[in-house]
Coordinates of all heavy atoms in Angstrom, one line a residue:
M70 N 5.5 -64.2 0.9 CA 6.0 -63.8 2.2 C 5.1 -62.6 2.7 O 5.0 -61.6 2.1 CB 7.5 -63.4 2.2 CG 8.0 -62.9 3.5 SD 9.7 -62.2 3.4 CE 10.6 -63.4 2.5
D71 N 4.5 -62.8 3.9 CA 3.7 -61.7 4.5 C 4.6 -60.7 5.2 O 5.7 -60.9 5.5 CB 2.5 -62.2 5.3 CG 3.0 -62.9 6.6 OD1 4.2 -62.8 6.9 OD2 2.0 -63.5 7.2
E72 N 4.0 -59.6 5.7 CA 4.7 -58.5 6.4 C 5.4 -59.0 7.6 O 6.5 -58.7 8.0 CB 3.8 -57.3 6.7 CG 4.6 -56.2 7.3 CD 3.7 -55.0 7.5 OE1 2.6 -54.9 7.0 OE2 4.1 -54.1 8.4
T73 N 4.6 -59.8 8.4 CA 5.2 -60.4 9.7 C 6.4 -61.2 9.4 O 7.4 -61.1 10.1 CB 4.1 -61.2 10.4 OG1 2.9 -60.4 10.6 CG2 4.6 -61.7 11.7
E74 N 6.4 -62.1 8.4 CA 7.5 -62.9 8.1 C 8.7 -62.1 7.6 O 9.8 -62.3 8.0 CB 7.1 -64.0 7.1 CG 8.1 -65.0 6.8 CD 7.6 -66.0 5.8 OE1 6.4 -66.0 5.4 OE2 8.5 -66.8 5.3
F75 N 8.4 -61.1 6.9 CA 9.4 -60.2 6.3 C 10.2 -59.5 7.5 O 11.4 -59.2 7.4 CB 8.8 -59.2 5.4 CG 9.7 -58.1 4.9 CD1 10.7 -58.4 4.0 CD2 9.7 -56.8 5.4 CE1 11.6 -57.4 3.5 CE2 10.5 -55.8 4.9 CZ 11.5 -56.1 4.0
M76 N 9.4 -59.0 8.5 CA 10.0 -58.3 9.6 C 10.9 -59.1 10.5 O 11.8 -58.6 11.2 CB 8.9 -57.5 10.4 CG 8.2 -56.5 9.5 SD 9.2 -55.2 9.0 CE 9.4 -54.2 10.4
R77 N 10.6 -60.3 10.7 CA 11.3 -61.2 11.7 C 12.8 -61.3 11.4 O 13.2 -61.4 10.3 CB 10.6 -62.6 11.6 CG 10.4 -63.2 12.9 CD 9.6 -64.4 12.9 NE 8.2 -64.2 13.5 CZ 7.9 -63.7 14.6 NH1 8.8 -63.3 15.5 NH2 6.7 -63.6 15.0
G78 N 13.5 -61.1 12.5 CA 15.0 -61.2 12.4 C 15.6 -59.9 11.9 O 16.8 -59.8 11.8
R79 N 14.8 -58.8 11.7 CA 15.4 -57.6 11.3 C 15.6 -56.7 12.5 O 14.9 -56.9 13.5 CB 14.4 -56.9 10.3 CG 14.2 -57.7 9.0 CD 13.1 -57.0 8.2 NE 13.5 -55.8 7.6 CZ 14.3 -55.6 6.6 NH1 14.9 -56.6 6.0 NH2 14.6 -54.4 6.1
V80 N 16.6 -55.8 12.4 CA 16.9 -55.0 13.6 C 16.1 -53.7 13.6 O 16.0 -53.0 12.6 CB 18.4 -54.6 13.6 CG1 18.8 -53.7 14.7 CG2 19.2 -55.9 13.7
Y81 N 15.4 -53.4 14.7 CA 14.7 -52.2 14.9 C 15.6 -51.0 14.7 O 16.6 -50.9 15.3 CB 14.1 -52.1 16.4 CG 13.5 -50.8 16.7 CD1 12.2 -50.5 16.3 CD2 14.2 -49.8 17.3 CE1 11.6 -49.2 16.6 CE2 13.7 -48.6 17.7 CZ 12.4 -48.3 17.3 OH 11.9 -47.0 17.5
G82 N 15.1 -50.0 13.9 CA 15.8 -48.7 13.7 C 16.9 -48.8 12.7 O 17.5 -47.8 12.3
A83 N 17.2 -50.0 12.2 CA 18.3 -50.1 11.2 C 17.8 -49.7 9.8 O 16.6 -49.6 9.5 CB 18.8 -51.6 11.0
D84 N 18.7 -49.3 8.9 CA 18.4 -48.9 7.6 C 17.7 -50.1 6.9 O 18.1 -51.2 7.0 CB 19.7 -48.6 6.8 CG 19.5 -48.2 5.4 OD1 18.5 -47.5 5.1 OD2 20.3 -48.6 4.6
H85 N 16.6 -49.8 6.2 CA 15.8 -50.7 5.5 C 16.6 -51.7 4.6 O 16.3 -52.9 4.6 CB 14.7 -50.1 4.8 CG 13.7 -51.0 4.1 ND1 12.8 -51.7 4.8 CD2 13.6 -51.4 2.8 CE1 12.1 -52.4 4.0 NE2 12.5 -52.3 2.8
E86 N 17.6 -51.2 4.0 CA 18.4 -52.0 3.1 C 19.4 -52.9 3.8 O 19.9 -53.9 3.2 CB 19.1 -51.1 2.1 CG 18.2 -50.3 1.2 CD 17.4 -51.1 0.3 OE1 17.8 -52.1 -0.3 OE2 16.1 -50.7 0.1
D87 N 19.7 -52.6 5.0 CA 20.7 -53.4 5.7 C 20.3 -53.6 7.1 O 20.9 -53.1 8.1 CB 22.0 -52.6 5.7 CG 23.2 -53.4 6.3 OD1 23.1 -54.6 6.4 OD2 24.2 -52.8 6.7
A88 N 19.2 -54.3 7.4 CA 18.6 -54.5 8.7 C 19.0 -55.8 9.4 O 18.3 -56.2 10.4 CB 17.1 -54.3 8.6
A89 N 19.9 -56.5 8.9 CA 20.3 -57.7 9.5 C 21.2 -57.4 10.7 O 21.9 -56.4 10.8 CB 21.2 -58.5 8.5
P90 N 21.2 -58.4 11.7 CA 22.1 -58.2 12.8 C 23.5 -58.2 12.4 O 23.9 -58.7 11.4 CB 21.8 -59.5 13.7 CG 20.5 -60.0 13.1 CD 20.4 -59.6 11.7
R91 N 24.4 -57.5 13.2 CA 25.8 -57.3 13.0 C 26.6 -58.1 14.0 O 26.2 -58.2 15.1 CB 26.2 -55.9 13.0 CG 25.4 -55.0 11.9 CD 25.9 -53.6 12.0 NE 25.2 -52.8 11.1 CZ 25.6 -52.6 9.8 NH1 26.7 -53.1 9.4 NH2 24.9 -51.8 9.0
P92 N 27.7 -58.7 13.5 CA 28.6 -59.4 14.5 C 29.1 -58.5 15.6 O 29.3 -57.3 15.4 CB 29.7 -59.8 13.6 CG 29.2 -59.7 12.2 CD 28.2 -58.6 12.2
G93 N 29.3 -59.0 16.8 CA 29.8 -58.2 17.9 C 28.8 -57.4 18.6 O 29.2 -56.7 19.5
R94 N 27.5 -57.4 18.2 CA 26.5 -56.7 18.9 C 25.6 -57.6 19.7 O 25.5 -58.8 19.4 CB 25.6 -55.9 17.8 CG 26.4 -55.1 16.8 CD 27.1 -53.9 17.3 NE 26.1 -52.9 17.8 CZ 26.5 -51.8 18.4 NH1 27.8 -51.5 18.5 NH2 25.7 -50.9 18.9
T95 N 24.9 -57.1 20.7 CA 24.0 -57.9 21.5 C 22.6 -57.5 21.2 O 22.3 -56.3 21.2 CB 24.3 -57.7 23.0 OG1 25.7 -58.0 23.2 CG2 23.4 -58.5 23.8
Y96 N 21.7 -58.4 20.9 CA 20.3 -58.1 20.5 C 19.4 -58.8 21.5 O 19.7 -59.9 22.0 CB 20.0 -58.6 19.1 CG 20.9 -57.9 18.1 CD1 22.1 -58.4 17.6 CD2 20.5 -56.7 17.6 CE1 22.9 -57.7 16.8 CE2 21.3 -56.0 16.7 CZ 22.5 -56.5 16.2 OH 23.3 -55.8 15.3
A97 N 18.2 -58.3 21.6 CA 17.1 -58.9 22.3 C 15.9 -58.9 21.3 O 15.8 -58.0 20.5 CB 16.6 -58.0 23.5
E98 N 15.1 -60.0 21.4 CA 13.9 -60.1 20.5 C 12.8 -59.4 21.2 O 12.5 -59.5 22.3 CB 13.6 -61.6 20.3 CG 12.4 -61.8 19.4 CD 12.0 -63.3 19.3 OE1 12.7 -64.1 19.8 OE2 11.0 -63.5 18.6
L99 N 12.1 -58.6 20.3 CA 10.8 -57.9 20.8 C 9.6 -58.9 20.6 O 9.5 -59.5 19.5 CB 10.6 -56.7 20.0 CG 11.7 -55.7 20.1 CD1 11.5 -54.4 19.2 CD2 12.0 -55.2 21.5
V100 N 8.9 -59.1 21.7 CA 7.8 -60.1 21.6 C 6.5 -59.4 21.9 O 6.3 -58.7 22.9 CB 8.1 -61.2 22.7 CG1 7.0 -62.2 22.7 CG2 9.4 -61.8 22.6
G101 N 5.5 -59.6 21.0 CA 4.2 -59.1 21.1 C 4.2 -57.6 20.6 O 5.2 -57.0 20.2
G102 N 3.0 -57.1 20.5 CA 2.8 -55.7 20.1 C 3.2 -55.4 18.7 O 3.4 -56.3 17.9
P103 N 3.3 -54.1 18.3 CA 3.5 -53.8 16.9 C 4.9 -54.1 16.4 O 5.0 -54.2 15.2 CB 3.3 -52.3 16.9 CG 3.5 -51.8 18.3 CD 3.1 -53.0 19.2
L104 N 5.8 -54.3 17.2 CA 7.2 -54.6 16.8 C 7.6 -56.1 17.0 O 8.8 -56.4 16.9 CB 8.2 -53.7 17.5 CG 7.9 -52.2 17.3 CD1 8.8 -51.3 18.2 CD2 7.9 -51.7 15.8
D105 N 6.6 -56.9 17.1 CA 6.9 -58.3 17.4 C 7.8 -59.0 16.3 O 7.6 -58.7 15.2 CB 5.5 -59.1 17.3 CG 5.7 -60.6 17.7 OD1 6.3 -60.9 18.7 OD2 5.2 -61.4 16.9
G106 N 8.8 -59.6 16.8 CA 9.7 -60.3 15.9 C 11.0 -59.5 15.6 O 12.0 -60.1 15.1
L107 N 10.9 -58.2 15.8 CA 12.1 -57.4 15.5 C 13.2 -57.6 16.5 O 12.9 -58.1 17.6 CB 11.8 -55.9 15.4 CG 11.0 -55.4 14.2 CD1 10.7 -53.9 14.4 CD2 11.6 -55.7 12.9
L108 N 14.4 -57.3 16.2 CA 15.5 -57.4 17.2 C 15.9 -56.0 17.6 O 15.9 -55.0 16.8 CB 16.7 -58.1 16.5 CG 16.5 -59.5 16.0 CD1 17.8 -60.0 15.3 CD2 16.1 -60.4 17.2
L109 N 16.2 -55.9 18.9 CA 16.6 -54.6 19.4 C 18.1 -54.6 19.8 O 18.5 -55.5 20.6 CB 15.8 -54.2 20.6 CG 16.1 -52.9 21.4 CD1 15.8 -51.7 20.5 CD2 15.4 -52.8 22.7
D110 N 18.9 -53.7 19.3 CA 20.3 -53.7 19.6 C 20.4 -53.1 21.0 O 20.1 -52.0 21.3 CB 21.0 -52.8 18.7 CG 22.6 -52.8 18.9 OD1 23.0 -53.3 19.9 OD2 23.2 -52.3 18.0
I111 N 20.9 -53.9 22.0 CA 21.0 -53.5 23.4 C 22.5 -53.4 23.8 O 22.8 -53.2 24.9 CB 20.2 -54.5 24.4 CG1 20.7 -55.9 24.2 CG2 18.8 -54.3 24.1 CD1 20.2 -56.8 25.3
T112 N 23.3 -53.4 22.8 CA 24.8 -53.2 23.1 C 25.1 -51.9 23.8 O 24.6 -50.9 23.4 CB 25.6 -53.3 21.8 OG1 25.2 -54.4 21.0 CG2 27.1 -53.2 22.0
G113 N 25.8 -52.0 24.9 CA 26.2 -50.8 25.7 C 25.1 -50.2 26.5 O 25.4 -49.2 27.2
R114 N 23.9 -50.7 26.5 CA 22.9 -50.1 27.4 C 23.1 -50.6 28.8 O 23.4 -51.8 29.0 CB 21.5 -50.5 26.9 CG 21.2 -49.8 25.6 CD 19.7 -50.1 25.3 NE 19.4 -49.6 23.9 CZ 18.5 -48.7 23.6 NH1 17.7 -48.2 24.5 NH2 18.3 -48.4 22.4
S115 N 22.8 -49.8 29.8 CA 23.0 -50.2 31.2 C 21.9 -51.1 31.7 O 20.8 -51.1 31.1 CB 23.1 -48.9 32.1 OG 21.7 -48.4 32.3
E116 N 22.2 -51.9 32.7 CA 21.2 -52.8 33.2 C 20.0 -52.0 33.7 O 18.8 -52.4 33.6 CB 21.7 -53.7 34.3 CG 22.6 -54.9 33.7 CD 22.9 -55.8 34.9 OE1 22.1 -56.1 35.7 OE2 24.0 -56.4 34.8
G117 N 20.3 -50.9 34.4 CA 19.2 -50.0 34.9 C 18.2 -49.5 33.8 O 17.0 -49.6 34.0
D118 N 18.8 -49.1 32.7 CA 18.0 -48.6 31.6 C 17.2 -49.8 31.0 O 16.0 -49.6 30.7 CB 18.8 -48.0 30.5 CG 19.4 -46.7 30.8 OD1 18.9 -46.1 31.7 OD2 20.4 -46.3 30.1
L119 N 17.8 -50.9 30.9 CA 17.0 -52.0 30.3 C 15.9 -52.5 31.2 O 14.8 -52.8 30.8 CB 18.0 -53.2 30.0 CG 19.1 -52.9 28.9 CD1 20.0 -54.1 28.8 CD2 18.4 -52.6 27.6
R120 N 16.2 -52.5 32.5 CA 15.2 -53.0 33.5 C 13.9 -52.1 33.5 O 12.9 -52.6 33.7 CB 15.9 -53.0 34.9 CG 15.1 -53.8 35.9 CD 15.9 -53.9 37.2 NE 16.8 -52.8 37.6 CZ 18.1 -52.9 37.5 NH1 18.7 -54.0 37.2 NH2 18.9 -51.9 37.9
E121 N 14.1 -50.9 33.3 CA 13.0 -49.9 33.2 C 12.1 -50.1 32.0 O 11.0 -49.7 32.0 CB 13.5 -48.5 33.3 CG 14.2 -48.1 34.6 CD 13.2 -48.2 35.8 OE1 12.1 -47.7 35.7 OE2 13.6 -48.7 36.8
G122 N 12.7 -50.7 31.0 CA 12.0 -50.8 29.7 C 12.4 -49.8 28.8 O 13.0 -48.7 29.2
I123 N 12.1 -50.0 27.5 CA 12.5 -49.1 26.4 C 11.3 -48.7 25.6 O 10.6 -49.5 25.0 CB 13.6 -49.7 25.6 CG1 14.8 -50.1 26.4 CG2 14.0 -48.8 24.4 CD1 15.8 -50.9 25.7
P124 N 10.9 -47.4 25.6 CA 9.9 -46.9 24.7 C 10.5 -46.7 23.3 O 11.4 -46.0 23.1 CB 9.4 -45.6 25.3 CG 10.6 -45.1 26.1 CD 11.4 -46.3 26.4
L125 N 9.9 -47.4 22.3 CA 10.4 -47.4 21.0 C 9.4 -46.7 20.0 O 8.2 -47.1 20.0 CB 10.7 -48.8 20.5 CG 11.6 -49.6 21.3 CD1 11.6 -51.1 20.9 CD2 13.0 -49.0 21.2
R126 N 9.8 -45.7 19.3 CA 8.9 -45.1 18.3 C 8.5 -46.0 17.2 O 9.2 -46.9 16.7 CB 9.7 -43.9 17.6 CG 9.9 -42.8 18.6 CD 10.5 -41.6 17.8 NE 10.9 -40.6 18.8 CZ 11.3 -39.4 18.5 NH1 11.5 -39.1 17.2 NH2 11.5 -38.5 19.4
T127 N 7.2 -45.9 16.9 CA 6.6 -46.7 15.9 C 5.4 -46.1 15.3 O 4.6 -45.4 16.0 CB 6.3 -48.2 16.4 OG1 5.7 -48.9 15.3 CG2 5.3 -48.1 17.5
E128 N 5.2 -46.2 14.0 CA 4.0 -45.7 13.3 C 2.9 -46.7 13.3 O 1.8 -46.3 12.9 CB 4.4 -45.2 11.9 CG 5.4 -44.1 11.9 CD 5.8 -43.8 10.4 OE1 5.2 -44.4 9.5 OE2 6.7 -42.9 10.3
I129 N 3.2 -47.9 13.6 CA 2.2 -49.0 13.5 C 1.5 -49.4 14.9 O 0.8 -50.4 15.0 CB 2.7 -50.2 12.8 CG1 3.9 -50.8 13.6 CG2 3.1 -49.9 11.4 CD1 4.5 -52.0 13.0
G130 N 1.8 -48.6 15.9 CA 1.2 -48.8 17.2 C -0.2 -48.2 17.3 O -0.7 -47.6 16.3
R131 N -0.8 -48.2 18.5 CA -2.1 -47.7 18.7 C -2.2 -46.2 18.4 O -3.3 -45.7 18.0 CB -2.5 -47.9 20.1 CG -3.8 -47.4 20.6 CD -4.1 -47.8 22.0 NE -5.4 -47.3 22.3 CZ -6.0 -47.4 23.5 NH1 -5.3 -48.0 24.5 NH2 -7.2 -47.0 23.7
Y132 N -1.2 -45.4 18.6 CA -1.2 -44.0 18.4 C -0.7 -43.4 17.1 O -0.5 -42.2 16.9 CB -0.5 -43.3 19.6 CG -1.2 -43.6 20.9 CD1 -0.8 -44.6 21.8 CD2 -2.4 -42.9 21.3 CE1 -1.5 -44.9 22.9 CE2 -3.0 -43.2 22.5 CZ -2.6 -44.2 23.3 OH -3.3 -44.5 24.4
G133 N -0.3 -44.3 16.2 CA 0.2 -43.9 14.9 C 1.5 -43.2 15.0 O 2.3 -43.4 15.9
T134 N 1.7 -42.3 14.0 CA 2.9 -41.5 13.9 C 3.2 -40.8 15.2 O 2.3 -40.1 15.7 CB 2.8 -40.5 12.7 OG1 2.5 -41.3 11.5 CG2 4.1 -39.8 12.5
G135 N 4.4 -41.0 15.7 CA 4.8 -40.3 16.9 C 4.6 -41.1 18.1 O 5.1 -40.7 19.2
G136 N 3.8 -42.2 18.0 CA 3.5 -43.1 19.2 C 4.7 -43.9 19.5 O 5.7 -44.0 18.8
R137 N 4.6 -44.5 20.7 CA 5.7 -45.4 21.2 C 5.2 -46.7 21.7 O 4.0 -46.7 22.2 CB 6.5 -44.7 22.3 CG 7.3 -43.5 21.8 CD 8.0 -42.8 22.9 NE 8.9 -41.8 22.4 CZ 8.6 -40.7 21.9 NH1 7.4 -40.4 21.8 NH2 9.6 -39.8 21.5
A138 N 5.9 -47.7 21.6 CA 5.6 -49.1 22.1 C 6.6 -49.3 23.2 O 7.8 -49.2 23.0 CB 5.6 -50.1 21.1
L139 N 6.1 -49.7 24.4 CA 7.0 -50.0 25.6 C 7.3 -51.4 25.6 O 6.4 -52.3 25.7 CB 6.4 -49.5 26.9 CG 7.2 -49.8 28.1 CD1 8.6 -49.1 28.1 CD2 6.5 -49.5 29.4
Y140 N 8.6 -51.8 25.6 CA 9.1 -53.2 25.8 C 9.9 -53.3 27.0 O 10.8 -52.5 27.2 CB 9.8 -53.6 24.5 CG 8.9 -53.8 23.3 CD1 8.5 -52.8 22.5 CD2 8.4 -55.1 23.1 CE1 7.6 -53.1 21.5 CE2 7.6 -55.4 22.0 CZ 7.2 -54.3 21.3 OH 6.3 -54.6 20.2
V141 N 9.7 -54.3 27.8 CA 10.4 -54.5 29.0 C 11.0 -56.0 29.0 O 10.3 -56.9 28.6 CB 9.4 -54.4 30.2 CG1 10.0 -54.7 31.6 CG2 8.8 -53.1 30.2
P142 N 12.2 -56.1 29.5 CA 12.8 -57.4 29.5 C 12.1 -58.4 30.4 O 11.6 -58.1 31.5 CB 14.3 -57.2 30.0 CG 14.2 -55.9 30.7 CD 13.1 -55.1 30.1
R143 N 12.0 -59.7 30.0 CA 11.5 -60.7 30.8 C 12.4 -60.9 32.0 O 13.6 -61.0 31.9 CB 11.4 -62.0 30.0 CG 10.3 -62.0 29.0 CD 10.2 -63.4 28.3 NE 9.1 -63.3 27.3 CZ 8.8 -64.2 26.5 NH1 9.5 -65.4 26.6 NH2 7.9 -64.1 25.6
P144 N 11.8 -61.1 33.2 CA 12.6 -61.4 34.4 C 13.5 -62.6 34.3 O 14.6 -62.6 34.8 CB 11.6 -61.6 35.5 CG 10.3 -61.0 35.0 CD 10.4 -61.1 33.5
D145 N 13.0 -63.6 33.6 CA 13.8 -64.8 33.5 C 14.5 -65.0 32.2 O 15.2 -66.0 31.9 CB 12.8 -66.0 33.7 CG 11.8 -66.1 32.7 OD1 11.5 -65.1 32.0 OD2 11.1 -67.2 32.6
D146 N 14.5 -64.0 31.2 CA 15.1 -64.1 29.9 C 15.4 -62.7 29.4 O 14.5 -62.2 28.6 CB 14.2 -64.9 29.0 CG 14.8 -65.2 27.7 OD1 16.0 -64.7 27.4 OD2 14.2 -65.8 26.8
A147 N 16.5 -62.2 29.7 CA 16.8 -60.8 29.3 C 17.1 -60.6 27.8 O 17.2 -59.5 27.3 CB 18.1 -60.3 30.0
R148 N 17.0 -61.7 27.0 CA 17.2 -61.7 25.6 C 15.8 -61.5 24.9 O 15.7 -61.5 23.7 CB 17.9 -63.0 25.1 CG 19.3 -63.0 25.5 CD 20.1 -61.9 24.8 NE 21.5 -62.0 25.2 CZ 22.5 -62.3 24.4 NH1 22.2 -62.7 23.2 NH2 23.7 -62.3 24.8
R149 N 14.7 -61.5 25.7 CA 13.4 -61.2 25.1 C 12.7 -60.1 25.9 O 12.7 -60.1 27.1 CB 12.6 -62.5 25.3 CG 13.0 -63.6 24.4 CD 12.2 -64.8 24.6 NE 12.5 -65.8 23.6 CZ 11.6 -66.2 22.7 NH1 10.4 -65.8 22.7 NH2 12.0 -67.0 21.7
F150 N 12.2 -59.2 25.1 CA 11.5 -58.0 25.7 C 10.1 -58.1 25.3 O 9.7 -58.2 24.2 CB 12.1 -56.7 25.1 CG 13.4 -56.2 25.8 CD1 14.5 -57.1 26.0 CD2 13.6 -54.9 26.1 CE1 15.6 -56.7 26.6 CE2 14.7 -54.5 26.7 CZ 15.8 -55.4 26.9
D151 N 9.2 -58.1 26.4 CA 7.8 -58.2 26.1 C 7.1 -56.8 26.0 O 7.5 -55.9 26.7 CB 7.1 -59.0 27.3 CG 7.5 -60.4 27.3 OD1 7.5 -61.1 26.2 OD2 7.9 -61.0 28.4
W152 N 6.1 -56.8 25.1 CA 5.4 -55.5 24.9 C 4.5 -55.3 26.1 O 3.8 -56.2 26.7 CB 4.5 -55.7 23.7 CG 3.6 -54.6 23.3 CD1 4.0 -53.3 23.1 CD2 2.2 -54.6 23.2 NE1 2.9 -52.5 22.7 CE2 1.8 -53.3 22.9 CE3 1.2 -55.6 23.4 CZ2 0.4 -53.0 22.7 CZ3 -0.1 -55.3 23.2 CH2 -0.5 -54.0 22.9
H153 N 4.5 -54.0 26.6 CA 3.7 -53.6 27.8 C 2.8 -52.4 27.4 O 2.2 -51.8 28.3 CB 4.6 -53.2 28.9 CG 5.1 -54.4 29.7 ND1 5.0 -54.5 31.0 CD2 5.8 -55.5 29.3 CE1 5.4 -55.6 31.5 NE2 6.0 -56.2 30.4
G154 N 2.5 -52.3 26.2 CA 1.5 -51.2 25.8 C 2.1 -50.1 25.0 O 3.3 -50.0 24.8
D155 N 1.2 -49.3 24.4 CA 1.6 -48.2 23.6 C 1.3 -46.8 24.3 O 0.4 -46.8 25.2 CB 0.8 -48.2 22.3 CG 1.1 -49.3 21.4 OD1 2.2 -49.9 21.5 OD2 0.2 -49.7 20.6
S156 N 2.0 -45.8 24.0 CA 1.8 -44.5 24.5 C 1.9 -43.4 23.4 O 2.6 -43.7 22.4 CB 2.8 -44.2 25.6 OG 4.1 -44.1 25.1
P157 N 1.2 -42.3 23.6 CA 1.3 -41.3 22.5 C 2.7 -40.6 22.5 O 3.5 -40.7 23.3 CB 0.2 -40.2 23.0 CG -0.1 -40.6 24.3 CD 0.4 -41.9 24.6

């Protein structure tokens, strides 16, 4: 199993030992970029916040430690967030 396959279906920001999705929560799939295939817990986030996109911390993006990857929901599929680039 390679790293990409290992990461698929895991929840962004969850404890490494328990990164599976939890019942009763709402998730969106991250598509493209450094966090491709991870799930983002969007439970309780406002539509306005989600529409603007979410900058997620990641060490594996263009800027390394402390960098962020911006993911924005697809206009036609709010359960998928597309990568829109990295920032320091």
Side-chain angles (χ1 to χ4, degrees):
M70 176 185 315
D71 66 11
E72 183 177 343
T73 302
E74 188 178 352
F75 174 74
M76 295 297 283
R77 224 166 254 302
R79 299 175 65 80
V80 177
Y81 169 83
D84 181 38
H85 183 72
E86 298 297 320
D87 187 22
R91 297 182 183 269
R94 309 293 294 178
T95 303
Y96 297 95
E98 180 183 358
L99 301 176
V100 181
L104 303 175
D105 184 51
L107 291 178
L108 300 175
L109 177 65
D110 186 348
I111 57 172
T112 306
R114 294 188 188 235
S115 74
E116 281 189 38
D118 287 343
L119 295 176
R120 196 174 27 252
E121 295 295 316
I123 300 174
L125 302 171
R126 289 185 182 186
T127 180
E128 297 177 2
I129 58 177
R131 180 176 183 184
Y132 297 97
T134 303
R137 290 176 172 74
L139 178 63
Y140 285 85
V141 177
R143 286 185 183 174
D145 60 344
D146 184 359
R148 293 291 179 112
R149 291 178 169 244
F150 281 45
D151 292 315
W152 177 62
H153 278 235
D155 294 335
S156 65

